[in-house]
Amino acid sequence: MSFTARPGSSIIDAYSLEVSAKDIPALTAVAPRILPGSMVSIPYLPREDNDARLTAAQAVRRLGFEPMPHLSARRISSLAELDAFVKRAVAEAGVERCFVIAGDPSTPMGPFSDSSSLIETGVFERSGIKVVGVGGHPEGHPAMSAADRWDVLERKCDSIGRRGMTPLIVTQFAFDADIVLTWLKALRERGIDHPVRVGVPGPAGVAVLARYAALCGVSACASMWSKYGISLGKLFGTAGPDVFVDRLAAGLTEAHGKVSLHFFPFGGIAQSVKWIEQYRARAEPTTR
């Protein structure tokens, strides 16, 4: 037997997906092709209300997956709203994990200015939440310095752990695997050993990827795009994360800790699942 396994064959096995409430029908259509128990993250979009998010979480649970609804601190109007949503999510959708973010508004709609303030309410552990996800930013953050990013991440993880829950770090989608590997090394050197899910842009049109990158403040320099396998002179056609996943997987060692992939399906859920299936097939060992 000879093995021609591709580097990404291990980290791609336990992937997770980002799926908005409006995309539940698309998730339902491909559900039989996704590993049961996979994590499905439900973003907090301003055009979707709490009932829509709860309905989405219920659908994800019925499909046999683990729902992880997002909570946007600056968009939550009161402690009562937070408490009611989390309790309903646990009772009605069996939610065991939530993801907390500050959110886009510069002025909070209620008492919560950042994700730390949500964690500190005690709502999550009292409601039975077991895992709290927080964001990681290997390629930078538009409003925080590198030192501030590390300080905030360490404090949030410590607070979650002290409350008897498990921290999960989910990074913003990235395009430069070398930057991600360097960030993971620094993370572990700081003693932060919690599981990390690295954000990966699913296959999509190059112009679509560029637009999402700009909206999220992700660097879009020519050298970064080239490392991802994209030429800025060719904004037509579709690009997949083959080069990124290959480079990331090849560079990972035991020192990087527990790392898996989290897909942002910008080109559609079906397209991302198809890419994963094809990549996995190419990564499997072959016999002669």
Side-chain angles (χ1 to χ4, degrees):
M1 176 182 291
S2 65
F3 289 86
T4 58
R6 198 164 184 162
S9 56
S10 58
I11 62 169
I12 204 168
D13 287 339
Y15 72 90
S16 54
L17 285 165
E18 191 103 347
V19 178
S20 67
K22 69 180 179 61
D23 289 325
I24 292 299
L27 177 67
T28 302
V30 298
R33 297 157 56 189
I34 301 173
L35 185 70
S38 295
M39 190 182 82
V40 174
S41 188
I42 304 165
Y44 195 108
L45 301 180
R47 296 177 299 280
E48 296 172 352
D49 60 18
N50 285 340
D51 285 339
R53 297 180 192 105
L54 286 166
T55 298
Q58 291 168 349
V60 168
R61 174 61 70 192
R62 284 196 302 270
L63 291 170
F65 307 129
E66 286 289 334
M68 183 172 75
H70 292 204
L71 288 151
S72 177
R74 294 174 190 158
R75 294 186 185 278
I76 297 173
S77 62
S78 66
L79 176 60
E81 180 188 348
L82 171 67
D83 187 65
F85 179 86
V86 176
K87 285 180 177 175
R88 284 188 63 191
V90 172
E92 299 173 18
V95 167
E96 296 183 344
R97 57 190 71 196
C98 292
F99 184 79
V100 292
I101 57 172
D104 295 329
S106 56
T107 302
M109 296 174 60
F112 307 116
S113 60
D114 54 29
S115 53
S116 293
S117 61
L118 295 180
I119 297 167
E120 291 163 4
T121 62
V123 164
F124 297 108
E125 65 265 34
R126 288 198 301 268
S127 301
I129 296 298
K130 297 177 181 178
V131 177
V132 176
V134 295
H137 300 86
E139 291 183 351
H141 188 286
M144 286 193 290
S145 67
D148 288 341
R149 292 197 304 273
W150 286 122
D151 180 60
V152 168
L153 182 58
E154 287 175 334
R155 285 192 285 107
K156 285 192 285 193
C157 288
D158 287 345
S159 180
I160 293 165
R162 287 197 309 271
R163 295 172 181 279
M165 299 175 291
T166 300
L168 170 65
I169 301 169
V170 183
T171 79
Q172 178 58 280
F173 61 88
F175 292 95
D176 190 327
D178 292 330
I179 289 177
V180 174
L181 289 165
T182 299
W183 180 85
L184 285 168
K185 183 174 181 290
L187 181 80
R188 302 316 186 192
E189 288 174 347
R190 289 176 173 270
I192 304 175
D193 59 359
H194 309 298
V196 174
R197 288 188 174 269
V198 174
V200 180
V206 175
V208 171
L209 293 174
R211 183 170 71 250
Y212 275 107
L215 287 172
C216 296
V218 175
S219 171
C221 65
S223 62
M224 179 274 289
W225 283 117
S226 66
K227 285 187 175 182
Y228 194 73
I230 294 174
S231 168
L232 285 181
K234 298 179 180 178
L235 292 181
F236 297 100
T238 298
D242 302 68
V243 174
F244 177 87
V245 174
D246 278 351
R247 177 68 191 96
L248 179 67
L252 286 173
T253 67
E254 290 186 4
H256 290 104
K258 186 175 181 181
V259 178
S260 52
L261 302 181
H262 180 70
F263 284 87
F264 293 81
F266 298 136
I269 296 169
Q271 191 168 343
S272 286
V273 171
K274 180 179 179 181
W275 180 91
I276 291 165
E277 290 172 337
Q278 293 174 338
Y279 187 95
R280 182 180 285 151
R282 294 195 300 271
E284 291 175 351
T286 59
T287 59
R288 293 178 182 171

